Amino acid sequence: MIVCSCNVLTDHDVRNVVTQAKDFPRTAGQVYGCLGCSAECGRCARTIKKIMDEALGACAKACCSGCPHSHHEAANEDQQPVVLLAQAAC
């Protein structure tokens, strides 16, 4: 189903980028960036966030041990915290 009429993004587009991106996006703005666009009217941001939460399941709030994204967290433990910008590098 189309979730963003401005950029013609589907729920499948959002799920794919959230589950398959190397540097997985955590915000709707990062999803737009990974898909090569940006928010226009912003009405779809809540829907995109909901799809992200569903796709990530238990990882929606924080990665847990054994989750596919936990290796990303472990790799960054010894580094200084990084402030994420609105656009992830996908």
Side-chain angles (χ1 to χ4, degrees):
M1 119 183 112
I2 300 284
V3 295
C4 175
S5 298
C6 298
N7 292 299
V8 192
L9 301 178
T10 67
D11 58 323
H12 297 289
D13 295 330
V14 174
R15 280 188 187 87
N16 286 339
V17 79
V18 168
T19 58
Q20 296 177 3
K22 181 179 176 183
D23 294 325
F24 53 98
R26 290 294 195 178
T27 67
Q30 291 173 343
V31 169
Y32 291 119
C34 288
L35 293 170
C37 57
S38 61
E40 298 296 324
C41 73
R43 288 184 283 180
C44 58
R46 286 185 188 164
T47 304
I48 288 174
K49 181 63 176 146
K50 181 178 176 185
I51 293 168
M52 290 171 64
D53 289 347
E54 290 171 359
L56 291 173
C59 294
K61 294 187 182 200
C63 282
C64 54
S65 177
C67 125
H69 304 119
S70 62
H71 71 278
H72 179 78
E73 293 294 322
N76 289 329
E77 282 181 358
D78 296 330
Q79 298 176 359
Q80 294 293 326
V82 176
V83 176
L84 296 177
L85 301 176
Q87 186 173 356
C90 297

